[in-house]
Amino acid sequence: MRAVIQTLGPYGWRKLTPEMVSRRALAAVDGHVATGTVPVTRHDERIDVLLEFLGCCSWRTLTVDALSRRLVTALDTWRTESQWLDIELRWVLDADD
């Protein structure tokens, strides 16, 4: 979360588009903060996860700390749900054998 705060904090992040906020947050999560670039492609499925979150709240009214915490939580929740879906799919496929 600290990396996301450090990545968004120096910018006028409230003026960024939701996509750029998402891409910068993902770059921080992926460890690309020091490079100053945003190497997350538009086709990264995690962008849609964060865009959905940003579309459901008044994120520009939050502090950078609160926004960063919520972005990381949204990613963690998505990752956990995806892992469970994979496990359940394997159970179904194993049951068919």
Side-chain angles (χ1 to χ4, degrees):
M1 187 179 84
R2 182 174 307 277
V4 177
I5 292 168
Q6 291 172 344
T7 298
L8 293 177
Y11 297 95
W13 58 271
R14 285 184 175 95
K15 295 178 184 175
L16 295 175
T17 65
E19 182 176 340
M20 281 308 299
V21 169
S22 299
R23 291 178 71 199
R24 287 193 178 280
L26 289 172
V29 168
D30 291 348
H32 299 292
V33 176
T35 64
T37 61
V38 184
V40 179
T41 67
R42 288 182 167 198
H43 304 292
D44 189 317
E45 64 184 329
R46 299 173 299 165
I47 290 176
D48 290 335
V49 172
L50 296 183
L51 288 176
E52 182 178 337
F53 161 74
L54 292 172
C56 294
C57 73
S58 300
W59 59 273
R60 286 184 171 98
T61 64
L62 300 172
T63 64
V64 71
D65 290 7
L67 175 62
S68 298
R69 184 173 42 257
R70 291 181 184 189
L71 289 169
V72 170
T73 299
L75 283 174
D76 286 345
T77 300
W78 168 80
R79 188 176 299 118
T80 300
E81 289 173 356
S82 294
Q83 289 171 339
W84 271 111
L85 184 61
D86 288 344
I87 291 168
E88 290 171 349
L89 181 60
R90 278 188 230 124
W91 287 343
V92 169
L93 293 175
D94 288 345
D96 289 342
D97 288 340

